[in-house]
PDB file of all heavy atoms in Angstrom:
ATOM      1  N   VAL A   1      -2.604-150.331-163.100  1.00 94.00           N
ATOM      2  CA  VAL A   1      -3.159-149.256-162.251  1.00 94.00           C
ATOM      3  C   VAL A   1      -2.789-149.388-160.829  1.00 94.00           C
ATOM      4  O   VAL A   1      -2.485-148.421-160.152  1.00 94.00           O
ATOM      5  CB  VAL A   1      -4.770-149.248-162.498  1.00 94.00           C
ATOM      6  CG1 VAL A   1      -5.432-148.368-161.455  1.00 94.00           C
ATOM      7  CG2 VAL A   1      -5.116-148.790-163.902  1.00 94.00           C
ATOM      8  N   MET A   2      -2.907-150.619-160.320  1.00 94.00           N
ATOM      9  CA  MET A   2      -2.652-150.875-158.991  1.00 94.00           C
ATOM     10  C   MET A   2      -1.202-150.684-158.511  1.00 94.00           C
ATOM     11  O   MET A   2      -0.860-150.463-157.364  1.00 94.00           O
ATOM     12  CB  MET A   2      -3.027-152.336-158.558  1.00 94.00           C
ATOM     13  CG  MET A   2      -4.575-152.526-158.656  1.00 94.00           C
ATOM     14  SD  MET A   2      -5.519-151.523-157.502  1.00 94.00           S
ATOM     15  CE  MET A   2      -5.152-152.359-156.016  1.00 94.00           C
ATOM     16  N   SER A   3      -0.303-150.601-159.469  1.00 93.00           N
ATOM     17  CA  SER A   3       1.146-150.401-159.198  1.00 93.00           C
ATOM     18  C   SER A   3       1.467-149.009-158.652  1.00 93.00           C
ATOM     19  O   SER A   3       2.523-148.887-157.967  1.00 93.00           O
ATOM     20  CB  SER A   3       1.972-150.752-160.407  1.00 93.00           C
ATOM     21  OG  SER A   3       1.802-149.734-161.412  1.00 93.00           O
ATOM     22  N   ASP A   4       0.615-148.028-158.886  1.00 93.00           N
ATOM     23  CA  ASP A   4       0.860-146.711-158.392  1.00 93.00           C
ATOM     24  C   ASP A   4      -0.329-146.397-157.424  1.00 93.00           C
ATOM     25  O   ASP A   4      -1.421-146.228-157.894  1.00 93.00           O
ATOM     26  CB  ASP A   4       0.921-145.737-159.483  1.00 93.00           C
ATOM     27  CG  ASP A   4       1.170-144.307-159.047  1.00 93.00           C
ATOM     28  OD1 ASP A   4       0.769-143.913-157.882  1.00 93.00           O
ATOM     29  OD2 ASP A   4       1.734-143.558-159.804  1.00 93.00           O
ATOM     30  N   PRO A   5      -0.060-146.228-156.101  1.00 91.00           N
ATOM     31  CA  PRO A   5      -1.159-146.043-155.168  1.00 91.00           C
ATOM     32  C   PRO A   5      -2.051-144.832-155.505  1.00 91.00           C
ATOM     33  O   PRO A   5      -3.251-144.837-155.272  1.00 91.00           O
ATOM     34  CB  PRO A   5      -0.473-145.894-153.784  1.00 91.00           C
ATOM     35  CG  PRO A   5       0.866-146.599-154.003  1.00 91.00           C
ATOM     36  CD  PRO A   5       1.219-146.392-155.395  1.00 91.00           C
ATOM     37  N   ASP A   6      -1.400-143.714-155.920  1.00 90.00           N
ATOM     38  CA  ASP A   6      -2.153-142.540-156.191  1.00 90.00           C
ATOM     39  C   ASP A   6      -3.116-142.724-157.415  1.00 90.00           C
ATOM     40  O   ASP A   6      -4.273-142.321-157.419  1.00 90.00           O
ATOM     41  CB  ASP A   6      -1.288-141.300-156.466  1.00 90.00           C
ATOM     42  CG  ASP A   6      -0.584-140.900-155.209  1.00 90.00           C
ATOM     43  OD1 ASP A   6      -1.120-141.076-154.095  1.00 90.00           O
ATOM     44  OD2 ASP A   6       0.544-140.343-155.316  1.00 90.00           O
ATOM     45  N   VAL A   7      -2.586-143.360-158.395  1.00 92.00           N
ATOM     46  CA  VAL A   7      -3.403-143.647-159.691  1.00 92.00           C
ATOM     47  C   VAL A   7      -4.497-144.639-159.264  1.00 92.00           C
ATOM     48  O   VAL A   7      -5.661-144.431-159.658  1.00 92.00           O
ATOM     49  CB  VAL A   7      -2.490-144.225-160.774  1.00 92.00           C
ATOM     50  CG1 VAL A   7      -3.332-144.731-161.890  1.00 92.00           C
ATOM     51  CG2 VAL A   7      -1.535-143.112-161.241  1.00 92.00           C
ATOM     52  N   ALA A   8      -4.195-145.633-158.466  1.00 93.00           N
ATOM     53  CA  ALA A   8      -5.116-146.642-158.009  1.00 93.00           C
ATOM     54  C   ALA A   8      -6.310-145.995-157.361  1.00 93.00           C
ATOM     55  O   ALA A   8      -7.450-146.280-157.617  1.00 93.00           O
ATOM     56  CB  ALA A   8      -4.468-147.701-157.183  1.00 93.00           C
ATOM     57  N   LEU A   9      -6.012-145.054-156.405  1.00 92.00           N
ATOM     58  CA  LEU A   9      -7.043-144.438-155.651  1.00 92.00           C
ATOM     59  C   LEU A   9      -7.919-143.575-156.621  1.00 92.00           C
ATOM     60  O   LEU A   9      -9.166-143.665-156.535  1.00 92.00           O
ATOM     61  CB  LEU A   9      -6.476-143.513-154.585  1.00 92.00           C
ATOM     62  CG  LEU A   9      -7.482-142.650-153.815  1.00 92.00           C
ATOM     63  CD1 LEU A   9      -8.456-143.628-153.014  1.00 92.00           C
ATOM     64  CD2 LEU A   9      -6.773-141.789-152.857  1.00 92.00           C
ATOM     65  N   GLU A  10      -7.380-142.871-157.530  1.00 91.00           N
ATOM     66  CA  GLU A  10      -8.061-142.043-158.378  1.00 91.00           C
ATOM     67  C   GLU A  10      -8.935-142.864-159.371  1.00 91.00           C
ATOM     68  O   GLU A  10     -10.157-142.601-159.569  1.00 91.00           O
ATOM     69  CB  GLU A  10      -7.188-141.143-159.267  1.00 91.00           C
ATOM     70  CG  GLU A  10      -7.914-140.224-160.218  1.00 91.00           C
ATOM     71  CD  GLU A  10      -7.041-139.310-161.013  1.00 91.00           C
ATOM     72  OE1 GLU A  10      -5.864-139.055-160.583  1.00 91.00           O
ATOM     73  OE2 GLU A  10      -7.457-138.894-162.090  1.00 91.00           O
ATOM     74  N   VAL A  11      -8.398-143.963-159.869  1.00 92.00           N
ATOM     75  CA  VAL A  11      -9.167-144.790-160.840  1.00 92.00           C
ATOM     76  C   VAL A  11     -10.290-145.509-160.144  1.00 92.00           C
ATOM     77  O   VAL A  11     -11.426-145.515-160.621  1.00 92.00           O
ATOM     78  CB  VAL A  11      -8.230-145.770-161.527  1.00 92.00           C
ATOM     79  CG1 VAL A  11      -8.984-146.881-162.351  1.00 92.00           C
ATOM     80  CG2 VAL A  11      -7.264-145.036-162.535  1.00 92.00           C
ATOM     81  N   HIS A  12      -9.965-146.054-158.931  1.00 90.00           N
ATOM     82  CA  HIS A  12     -11.064-146.786-158.186  1.00 90.00           C
ATOM     83  C   HIS A  12     -12.124-145.788-157.808  1.00 90.00           C
ATOM     84  O   HIS A  12     -13.356-146.194-157.852  1.00 90.00           O
ATOM     85  CB  HIS A  12     -10.445-147.465-156.917  1.00 90.00           C
ATOM     86  CG  HIS A  12      -9.847-148.816-157.232  1.00 90.00           C
ATOM     87  ND1 HIS A  12     -10.574-149.929-157.321  1.00 90.00           N
ATOM     88  CD2 HIS A  12      -8.541-149.096-157.582  1.00 90.00           C
ATOM     89  CE1 HIS A  12      -9.696-150.926-157.617  1.00 90.00           C
ATOM     90  NE2 HIS A  12      -8.523-150.481-157.794  1.00 90.00           N
ATOM     91  N   ALA A  13     -11.765-144.607-157.375  1.00 90.00           N
ATOM     92  CA  ALA A  13     -12.814-143.636-156.991  1.00 90.00           C
ATOM     93  C   ALA A  13     -13.721-143.298-158.235  1.00 90.00           C
ATOM     94  O   ALA A  13     -14.907-143.236-158.086  1.00 90.00           O
ATOM     95  CB  ALA A  13     -12.136-142.307-156.523  1.00 90.00           C
ATOM     96  N   ARG A  14     -13.079-143.187-159.345  1.00 90.00           N
ATOM     97  CA  ARG A  14     -13.960-142.858-160.558  1.00 90.00           C
ATOM     98  C   ARG A  14     -14.780-143.990-161.051  1.00 90.00           C
ATOM     99  O   ARG A  14     -15.946-143.943-161.304  1.00 90.00           O
ATOM    100  CB  ARG A  14     -13.042-142.423-161.707  1.00 90.00           C
ATOM    101  CG  ARG A  14     -12.413-141.111-161.554  1.00 90.00           C
ATOM    102  CD  ARG A  14     -11.433-140.826-162.723  1.00 90.00           C
ATOM    103  NE  ARG A  14     -10.512-139.828-162.524  1.00 90.00           N
ATOM    104  CZ  ARG A  14     -10.712-138.551-162.871  1.00 90.00           C
ATOM    105  NH1 ARG A  14     -11.790-138.160-163.484  1.00 90.00           N
ATOM    106  NH2 ARG A  14      -9.839-137.620-162.640  1.00 90.00           N
ATOM    107  N   GLU A  15     -14.147-145.222-161.087  1.00 89.00           N
ATOM    108  CA  GLU A  15     -14.764-146.409-161.606  1.00 89.00           C
ATOM    109  C   GLU A  15     -15.783-147.045-160.683  1.00 89.00           C
ATOM    110  O   GLU A  15     -16.852-147.483-161.160  1.00 89.00           O
ATOM    111  CB  GLU A  15     -13.695-147.435-162.058  1.00 89.00           C
ATOM    112  CG  GLU A  15     -12.753-147.005-163.162  1.00 89.00           C
ATOM    113  CD  GLU A  15     -13.446-146.733-164.468  1.00 89.00           C
ATOM    114  OE1 GLU A  15     -14.520-147.194-164.742  1.00 89.00           O
ATOM    115  OE2 GLU A  15     -12.857-145.997-165.272  1.00 89.00           O
ATOM    116  N   GLU A  16     -15.426-147.090-159.438  1.00 86.00           N
ATOM    117  CA  GLU A  16     -16.378-147.838-158.497  1.00 86.00           C
ATOM    118  C   GLU A  16     -17.311-146.855-157.788  1.00 86.00           C
ATOM    119  O   GLU A  16     -18.469-147.276-157.513  1.00 86.00           O
ATOM    120  CB  GLU A  16     -15.511-148.462-157.401  1.00 86.00           C
ATOM    121  CG  GLU A  16     -14.727-149.683-157.847  1.00 86.00           C
ATOM    122  CD  GLU A  16     -13.907-150.375-156.795  1.00 86.00           C
ATOM    123  OE1 GLU A  16     -14.395-150.341-155.651  1.00 86.00           O
ATOM    124  OE2 GLU A  16     -12.842-150.837-157.051  1.00 86.00           O
ATOM    125  N   ARG A  17     -16.941-145.670-157.552  1.00 85.00           N
ATOM    126  CA  ARG A  17     -17.813-144.797-156.724  1.00 85.00           C
ATOM    127  C   ARG A  17     -18.308-143.596-157.557  1.00 85.00           C
ATOM    128  O   ARG A  17     -19.141-142.803-157.054  1.00 85.00           O
ATOM    129  CB  ARG A  17     -17.060-144.291-155.545  1.00 85.00           C
ATOM    130  CG  ARG A  17     -16.532-145.408-154.660  1.00 85.00           C
ATOM    131  CD  ARG A  17     -16.095-144.938-153.329  1.00 85.00           C
ATOM    132  NE  ARG A  17     -15.878-146.119-152.458  1.00 85.00           N
ATOM    133  CZ  ARG A  17     -16.844-146.697-151.740  1.00 85.00           C
ATOM    134  NH1 ARG A  17     -18.056-146.219-151.700  1.00 85.00           N
ATOM    135  NH2 ARG A  17     -16.546-147.776-151.016  1.00 85.00           N
ATOM    136  N   GLY A  18     -17.794-143.475-158.833  1.00 85.00           N
ATOM    137  CA  GLY A  18     -18.390-142.386-159.615  1.00 85.00           C
ATOM    138  C   GLY A  18     -17.958-140.945-159.121  1.00 85.00           C
ATOM    139  O   GLY A  18     -18.544-139.964-159.319  1.00 85.00           O
ATOM    140  N   VAL A  19     -16.786-141.009-158.433  1.00 85.00           N
ATOM    141  CA  VAL A  19     -16.187-139.716-157.781  1.00 85.00           C
ATOM    142  C   VAL A  19     -15.062-139.251-158.553  1.00 85.00           C
ATOM    143  O   VAL A  19     -14.122-140.051-158.800  1.00 85.00           O
ATOM    144  CB  VAL A  19     -15.856-140.040-156.320  1.00 85.00           C
ATOM    145  CG1 VAL A  19     -15.146-138.782-155.720  1.00 85.00           C
ATOM    146  CG2 VAL A  19     -17.111-140.321-155.527  1.00 85.00           C
ATOM    147  N   ASP A  20     -15.056-138.036-158.920  1.00 85.00           N
ATOM    148  CA  ASP A  20     -13.839-137.363-159.642  1.00 85.00           C
ATOM    149  C   ASP A  20     -13.110-136.538-158.599  1.00 85.00           C
ATOM    150  O   ASP A  20     -13.599-135.425-158.308  1.00 85.00           O
ATOM    151  CB  ASP A  20     -14.310-136.549-160.864  1.00 85.00           C
ATOM    152  CG  ASP A  20     -13.132-135.932-161.544  1.00 85.00           C
ATOM    153  OD1 ASP A  20     -11.962-136.135-161.182  1.00 85.00           O
ATOM    154  OD2 ASP A  20     -13.402-135.234-162.559  1.00 85.00           O
ATOM    155  N   PRO A  21     -12.022-137.028-158.099  1.00 81.00           N
ATOM    156  CA  PRO A  21     -11.257-136.190-157.100  1.00 81.00           C
ATOM    157  C   PRO A  21     -10.888-134.886-157.534  1.00 81.00           C
ATOM    158  O   PRO A  21     -10.665-133.937-156.716  1.00 81.00           O
ATOM    159  CB  PRO A  21     -10.049-137.118-156.777  1.00 81.00           C
ATOM    160  CG  PRO A  21     -10.372-138.479-157.269  1.00 81.00           C
ATOM    161  CD  PRO A  21     -11.393-138.255-158.353  1.00 81.00           C
ATOM    162  N   GLU A  22     -10.697-134.664-158.817  1.00 81.00           N
ATOM    163  CA  GLU A  22     -10.255-133.377-159.414  1.00 81.00           C
ATOM    164  C   GLU A  22     -11.394-132.403-159.585  1.00 81.00           C
ATOM    165  O   GLU A  22     -11.162-131.241-159.840  1.00 81.00           O
ATOM    166  CB  GLU A  22      -9.568-133.624-160.731  1.00 81.00           C
ATOM    167  CG  GLU A  22      -8.403-134.625-160.677  1.00 81.00           C
ATOM    168  CD  GLU A  22      -7.287-134.056-159.804  1.00 81.00           C
ATOM    169  OE1 GLU A  22      -7.034-132.862-159.792  1.00 81.00           O
ATOM    170  OE2 GLU A  22      -6.714-134.902-159.009  1.00 81.00           O
ATOM    171  N   SER A  23     -12.668-132.869-159.471  1.00 80.00           N
ATOM    172  CA  SER A  23     -13.755-131.996-159.761  1.00 80.00           C
ATOM    173  C   SER A  23     -14.270-131.174-158.581  1.00 80.00           C
ATOM    174  O   SER A  23     -15.152-130.390-158.703  1.00 80.00           O
ATOM    175  CB  SER A  23     -14.957-132.807-160.355  1.00 80.00           C
ATOM    176  OG  SER A  23     -15.501-133.598-159.306  1.00 80.00           O
ATOM    177  N   VAL A  24     -13.695-131.380-157.430  1.00 81.00           N
ATOM    178  CA  VAL A  24     -14.145-130.695-156.273  1.00 81.00           C
ATOM    179  C   VAL A  24     -13.718-129.233-156.327  1.00 81.00           C
ATOM    180  O   VAL A  24     -12.587-128.856-156.561  1.00 81.00           O
ATOM    181  CB  VAL A  24     -13.552-131.321-154.995  1.00 81.00           C
ATOM    182  CG1 VAL A  24     -13.970-130.587-153.693  1.00 81.00           C
ATOM    183  CG2 VAL A  24     -14.025-132.810-154.898  1.00 81.00           C
ATOM    184  N   GLY A  25     -14.648-128.371-156.138  1.00 86.00           N
ATOM    185  CA  GLY A  25     -14.463-126.927-156.171  1.00 86.00           C
ATOM    186  C   GLY A  25     -13.961-126.357-154.927  1.00 86.00           C
ATOM    187  O   GLY A  25     -13.894-127.066-153.849  1.00 86.00           O
ATOM    188  N   ASP A  26     -13.602-125.122-155.005  1.00 92.00           N
ATOM    189  CA  ASP A  26     -13.124-124.325-153.778  1.00 92.00           C
ATOM    190  C   ASP A  26     -14.338-123.568-153.192  1.00 92.00           C
ATOM    191  O   ASP A  26     -14.900-122.732-153.895  1.00 92.00           O
ATOM    192  CB  ASP A  26     -12.023-123.326-154.313  1.00 92.00           C
ATOM    193  CG  ASP A  26     -11.711-122.313-153.236  1.00 92.00           C
ATOM    194  OD1 ASP A  26     -11.834-122.619-151.988  1.00 92.00           O
ATOM    195  OD2 ASP A  26     -11.326-121.175-153.572  1.00 92.00           O
ATOM    196  N   PRO A  27     -14.747-123.870-152.023  1.00 95.00           N
ATOM    197  CA  PRO A  27     -15.898-123.293-151.397  1.00 95.00           C
ATOM    198  C   PRO A  27     -15.801-121.758-151.336  1.00 95.00           C
ATOM    199  O   PRO A  27     -16.775-121.026-151.613  1.00 95.00           O
ATOM    200  CB  PRO A  27     -16.061-123.940-150.040  1.00 95.00           C
ATOM    201  CG  PRO A  27     -15.232-125.168-150.041  1.00 95.00           C
ATOM    202  CD  PRO A  27     -14.207-124.982-151.072  1.00 95.00           C
ATOM    203  N   ILE A  28     -14.600-121.244-150.949  1.00 96.00           N
ATOM    204  CA  ILE A  28     -14.506-119.809-150.874  1.00 96.00           C
ATOM    205  C   ILE A  28     -14.567-119.124-152.196  1.00 96.00           C
ATOM    206  O   ILE A  28     -15.227-118.079-152.362  1.00 96.00           O
ATOM    207  CB  ILE A  28     -13.105-119.508-150.138  1.00 96.00           C
ATOM    208  CG1 ILE A  28     -13.035-120.012-148.753  1.00 96.00           C
ATOM    209  CG2 ILE A  28     -12.928-117.930-150.167  1.00 96.00           C
ATOM    210  CD1 ILE A  28     -13.902-119.420-147.719  1.00 96.00           C
ATOM    211  N   GLY A  29     -13.956-119.724-153.153  1.00 95.00           N
ATOM    212  CA  GLY A  29     -14.006-119.202-154.587  1.00 95.00           C
ATOM    213  C   GLY A  29     -15.381-119.207-155.069  1.00 95.00           C
ATOM    214  O   GLY A  29     -15.882-118.219-155.751  1.00 95.00           O
ATOM    215  N   ALA A  30     -16.146-120.339-154.832  1.00 95.00           N
ATOM    216  CA  ALA A  30     -17.554-120.389-155.323  1.00 95.00           C
ATOM    217  C   ALA A  30     -18.408-119.390-154.688  1.00 95.00           C
ATOM    218  O   ALA A  30     -19.164-118.746-155.285  1.00 95.00           O
ATOM    219  CB  ALA A  30     -18.063-121.860-155.037  1.00 95.00           C
ATOM    220  N   ALA A  31     -18.203-119.206-153.341  1.00 96.00           N
ATOM    221  CA  ALA A  31     -18.988-118.189-152.638  1.00 96.00           C
ATOM    222  C   ALA A  31     -18.709-116.805-153.116  1.00 96.00           C
ATOM    223  O   ALA A  31     -19.673-115.990-153.256  1.00 96.00           O
ATOM    224  CB  ALA A  31     -18.685-118.304-151.092  1.00 96.00           C
ATOM    225  N   THR A  32     -17.464-116.509-153.350  1.00 96.00           N
ATOM    226  CA  THR A  32     -17.029-115.191-153.795  1.00 96.00           C
ATOM    227  C   THR A  32     -17.626-114.950-155.204  1.00 96.00           C
ATOM    228  O   THR A  32     -18.205-113.838-155.417  1.00 96.00           O
ATOM    229  CB  THR A  32     -15.516-115.045-153.844  1.00 96.00           C
ATOM    230  OG1 THR A  32     -15.024-115.304-152.525  1.00 96.00           O
ATOM    231  CG2 THR A  32     -15.082-113.701-154.291  1.00 96.00           C
ATOM    232  N   SER A  33     -17.541-115.877-156.088  1.00 95.00           N
ATOM    233  CA  SER A  33     -18.097-115.778-157.458  1.00 95.00           C
ATOM    234  C   SER A  33     -19.623-115.592-157.345  1.00 95.00           C
ATOM    235  O   SER A  33     -20.188-114.671-158.090  1.00 95.00           O
ATOM    236  CB  SER A  33     -17.738-117.000-158.292  1.00 95.00           C
ATOM    237  OG  SER A  33     -16.422-117.102-158.490  1.00 95.00           O
ATOM    238  N   SER A  34     -20.280-116.358-156.500  1.00 96.00           N
ATOM    239  CA  SER A  34     -21.745-116.176-156.409  1.00 96.00           C
ATOM    240  C   SER A  34     -22.092-114.891-155.881  1.00 96.00           C
ATOM    241  O   SER A  34     -23.102-114.170-156.387  1.00 96.00           O
ATOM    242  CB  SER A  34     -22.268-117.301-155.557  1.00 96.00           C
ATOM    243  OG  SER A  34     -23.619-117.301-155.496  1.00 96.00           O
ATOM    244  N   PHE A  35     -21.423-114.330-154.870  1.00 96.00           N
ATOM    245  CA  PHE A  35     -21.678-113.047-154.307  1.00 96.00           C
ATOM    246  C   PHE A  35     -21.499-112.021-155.358  1.00 96.00           C
ATOM    247  O   PHE A  35     -22.321-111.068-155.589  1.00 96.00           O
ATOM    248  CB  PHE A  35     -20.741-112.728-153.101  1.00 96.00           C
ATOM    249  CG  PHE A  35     -20.941-111.436-152.452  1.00 96.00           C
ATOM    250  CD1 PHE A  35     -21.748-111.346-151.318  1.00 96.00           C
ATOM    251  CD2 PHE A  35     -20.357-110.301-152.927  1.00 96.00           C
ATOM    252  CE1 PHE A  35     -22.022-110.157-150.731  1.00 96.00           C
ATOM    253  CE2 PHE A  35     -20.557-109.069-152.265  1.00 96.00           C
ATOM    254  CZ  PHE A  35     -21.452-109.014-151.191  1.00 96.00           C
ATOM    255  N   GLY A  36     -20.393-112.080-156.153  1.00 96.00           N
ATOM    256  CA  GLY A  36     -20.119-111.056-157.132  1.00 96.00           C
ATOM    257  C   GLY A  36     -21.138-111.054-158.316  1.00 96.00           C
ATOM    258  O   GLY A  36     -21.606-110.002-158.748  1.00 96.00           O
ATOM    259  N   ALA A  37     -21.486-112.217-158.732  1.00 94.00           N
ATOM    260  CA  ALA A  37     -22.447-112.327-159.843  1.00 94.00           C
ATOM    261  C   ALA A  37     -23.840-111.831-159.462  1.00 94.00           C
ATOM    262  O   ALA A  37     -24.450-111.104-160.137  1.00 94.00           O
ATOM    263  CB  ALA A  37     -22.577-113.812-160.315  1.00 94.00           C
ATOM    264  N   PHE A  38     -24.262-112.206-158.250  1.00 94.00           N
ATOM    265  CA  PHE A  38     -25.474-111.701-157.745  1.00 94.00           C
ATOM    266  C   PHE A  38     -25.478-110.237-157.551  1.00 94.00           C
ATOM    267  O   PHE A  38     -26.486-109.510-158.001  1.00 94.00           O
ATOM    268  CB  PHE A  38     -25.917-112.408-156.393  1.00 94.00           C
ATOM    269  CG  PHE A  38     -27.340-112.048-155.895  1.00 94.00           C
ATOM    270  CD1 PHE A  38     -28.323-112.909-156.257  1.00 94.00           C
ATOM    271  CD2 PHE A  38     -27.578-110.931-155.256  1.00 94.00           C
ATOM    272  CE1 PHE A  38     -29.660-112.528-155.864  1.00 94.00           C
ATOM    273  CE2 PHE A  38     -28.865-110.551-154.808  1.00 94.00           C
ATOM    274  CZ  PHE A  38     -29.901-111.421-155.158  1.00 94.00           C
ATOM    275  N   GLY A  39     -24.389-109.701-157.045  1.00 95.00           N
ATOM    276  CA  GLY A  39     -24.273-108.285-156.825  1.00 95.00           C
ATOM    277  C   GLY A  39     -24.341-107.517-158.076  1.00 95.00           C
ATOM    278  O   GLY A  39     -25.073-106.443-158.223  1.00 95.00           O
ATOM    279  N   VAL A  40     -23.698-107.965-159.180  1.00 94.00           N
ATOM    280  CA  VAL A  40     -23.698-107.160-160.393  1.00 94.00           C
ATOM    281  C   VAL A  40     -25.054-107.343-161.012  1.00 94.00           C
ATOM    282  O   VAL A  40     -25.626-106.300-161.431  1.00 94.00           O
ATOM    283  CB  VAL A  40     -22.643-107.821-161.380  1.00 94.00           C
ATOM    284  CG1 VAL A  40     -22.872-107.309-162.791  1.00 94.00           C
ATOM    285  CG2 VAL A  40     -21.265-107.572-160.927  1.00 94.00           C
ATOM    286  N   GLY A  41     -25.737-108.480-160.961  1.00 92.00           N
ATOM    287  CA  GLY A  41     -27.046-108.571-161.467  1.00 92.00           C
ATOM    288  C   GLY A  41     -28.044-107.769-160.782  1.00 92.00           C
ATOM    289  O   GLY A  41     -29.038-107.284-161.348  1.00 92.00           O
ATOM    290  N   ALA A  42     -27.862-107.585-159.473  1.00 93.00           N
ATOM    291  CA  ALA A  42     -28.824-106.854-158.658  1.00 93.00           C
ATOM    292  C   ALA A  42     -28.599-105.280-158.694  1.00 93.00           C
ATOM    293  O   ALA A  42     -29.571-104.543-158.624  1.00 93.00           O
ATOM    294  CB  ALA A  42     -28.763-107.244-157.219  1.00 93.00           C
ATOM    295  N   ILE A  43     -27.344-104.886-159.000  1.00 95.00           N
ATOM    296  CA  ILE A  43     -27.080-103.382-159.032  1.00 95.00           C
ATOM    297  C   ILE A  43     -27.498-102.791-160.348  1.00 95.00           C
ATOM    298  O   ILE A  43     -27.902-101.642-160.340  1.00 95.00           O
ATOM    299  CB  ILE A  43     -25.598-103.122-158.739  1.00 95.00           C
ATOM    300  CG1 ILE A  43     -25.382-101.601-158.404  1.00 95.00           C
ATOM    301  CG2 ILE A  43     -24.706-103.457-159.880  1.00 95.00           C
ATOM    302  CD1 ILE A  43     -25.943-101.227-157.123  1.00 95.00           C
ATOM    303  N   LEU A  44     -27.415-103.549-161.405  1.00 95.00           N
ATOM    304  CA  LEU A  44     -27.805-103.036-162.770  1.00 95.00           C
ATOM    305  C   LEU A  44     -29.122-102.312-162.801  1.00 95.00           C
ATOM    306  O   LEU A  44     -29.268-101.103-163.229  1.00 95.00           O
ATOM    307  CB  LEU A  44     -27.616-104.023-163.859  1.00 95.00           C
ATOM    308  CG  LEU A  44     -26.191-104.461-164.156  1.00 95.00           C
ATOM    309  CD1 LEU A  44     -26.190-105.574-165.216  1.00 95.00           C
ATOM    310  CD2 LEU A  44     -25.389-103.286-164.675  1.00 95.00           C
TER     311      LEU A  44
END
């Protein structure tokens, strides 16, 4: 694992810190989706 710095960072982040670097969402996308979902639910 340590032989590849990118893999090492990802594995250490997951194993030691419980952080999944790939799970971070897009704030703009999340905000847009939330706006749209609320809007549809409220207009009906």
